[in-house]
Amino acid sequence: MSDALDATPYDALLLLSFGGPEGPDDVVPFLENVTRGRGIPKERLKEVGQHYFLFGGVSPINDQNRALLDALRKDFAEHGLDLPIYWGNRNWAPYLTDTLREMVADGRRRILVLATSAYASYSGCRQYRENLADSLAALAAEGLEPPRIDKLRHYFNHPGFLDPMIDGVLASLADLPEGVRAGAHIAFTTHSVPTAAADTSGPVEAHGEGGAYVEEHLDVAELIATAVRERTGVDHPWRLVYQSRSGAPQIPWLEPDICDHLEALHGAGVPAVVMAPIGFVSDHMEVLYDLDTEATAKAAELGLPVRRSATVGDDPRFAAAIRELVLERAAKESGREVTPCALGALGASHDVCPVGCCPARAPRPAAAGADSPYA
């Protein structure tokens, strides 16, 4: 049993997330961090920040990460996995560079990273890797020896990620009025991205239109819809749709938008909808505003009954999945045999992002991949 719970060669796990404001005074500085280099005026950022101001200027993401940290530490302790867990953000405190500096001071030399994004994409994977490279370069400039960093593989099809979402959809269906439940449509939602970014997500040669980003979400949607059919005996129609678009209108992004989709469903006579945010690990601002506020208001305007299913959050099954992924990667790095756990048609994702995977608009160094300058 002790061998199974050996995380060697790793001496720490880093939870790496996006970050969010924790009060009204944080909103514009936070958005300045997110949009740095794009030349967006402060007045425009104040307009964008209205989503946050509606909720007191507080994004729920930091508290949700604290809850996930607690769940991970509890699971690790209960199963005898002695691996300290740290937390760093890309855009707000605790900042990634500060956390890595703390880890180096604590003597951590081989770090495994858990990003709060389950799928392949530039913004969900490579951009995190670029931020890691930036932080490692900052430490080196301070005269510190950068630690070696690896990143956990994409976990979109791990049962510990899927099972809580399946239960969430089932609970939402059960909460619909009985007269409309059997005919309910399931709208699986994720963050829209530019179609050009989607097409180049994952190793380009291995995926079709929409790249790994769309393919992975479709695989998850199919798995959840199949599980719902097996448990309820009802074959609910479904579609993958998108939300939270933020780009210039002349640039093509993945469609349809959830609000447009609700209008189309209502026009087609669909009696009810379950919105299932499979693209999000927790109920952060994109879920709280774009689904619970905006899309729900659109459904009310249409007279269309809707329910929004739960994200994974700090579900104990997700914490257990992360433990399993840590041990899986540690076993591989130590030369031990291991069978990766993954459901669906796509199998387990790659452990090391290959060269050219999810390329940036302008080339930048990225850590924790085959092209990492910090091997």
Side-chain angles (χ1 to χ4, degrees), residues 38 123 190-198 213-214 242-257 361:
R38 302 183 201 172
S123 57
T190 190
H191 206 301
S192 186
V193 299
T195 56
Y213 186 71
V214 170
Y242 303 92
Q243 60 173 92
S244 312
R245 173 180 173 146
S246 59
Q250 69 271 19
I251 297 175
W253 283 53
L254 293 174
E255 296 177 336
D257 176 78
R361 292 178 293 273

Side-chain angles (χ1 to χ4, degrees), residues 15 60-75 85 87 281-282 312-316 318-319:
L15 175 65
I61 192 170
N62 282 342
D63 277 346
Q64 288 162 7
N65 280 326
R66 292 182 183 102
L68 178 57
L69 285 167
D70 289 343
L72 289 170
R73 288 167 178 150
K74 181 175 185 289
D75 179 271
I85 307 173
W87 171 32
V281 171
S282 63
V312 173
D314 60 344
D315 190 289
F318 182 46

Side-chain angles (χ1 to χ4, degrees), residues 221-268:
E222 180 67 44
L223 285 163
I224 296 174
T226 298
V228 169
R229 182 177 66 248
E230 291 172 348
R231 297 192 199 182
T232 65
V234 179
D235 191 6
H236 291 274
W238 62 269
R239 184 170 181 179
L240 177 64
V241 300
Y242 303 92
Q243 60 173 92
S244 312
R245 173 180 173 146
S246 59
Q250 69 271 19
I251 297 175
W253 283 53
L254 293 174
E255 296 177 336
D257 176 78
I258 178 61
C259 290
D260 295 337
H261 187 55
L262 292 175
E263 286 190 349
L265 292 174
H266 176 66

Side-chain angles (χ1 to χ4, degrees), residues 5-91:
L5 296 178
D6 182 8
T8 305
Y10 299 106
D11 53 23
L13 176 67
L14 169 62
L15 175 65
L16 176 55
S17 194
F18 192 81
E22 301 202 75
D25 293 342
D26 296 344
V27 172
V28 171
F30 162 73
L31 291 173
E32 287 175 332
N33 288 342
V34 174
T35 62
R36 180 162 284 117
R38 302 183 201 172
I40 299 176
K42 183 170 288 190
E43 290 307 311
R44 174 58 182 153
L45 294 179
K46 289 179 180 178
E47 293 176 21
V48 174
Q50 290 306 312
H51 293 183
Y52 293 97
F53 292 126
L54 285 174
F55 299 93
V58 178
S59 168
I61 192 170
N62 282 342
D63 277 346
Q64 288 162 7
N65 280 326
R66 292 182 183 102
L68 178 57
L69 285 167
D70 289 343
L72 289 170
R73 288 167 178 150
K74 181 175 185 289
D75 179 271
F76 285 17
E78 288 177 348
H79 291 85
L81 178 57
D82 184 16
L83 189 70
I85 307 173
Y86 296 75
W87 171 32
N89 288 326
R90 285 169 47 182
N91 299 298

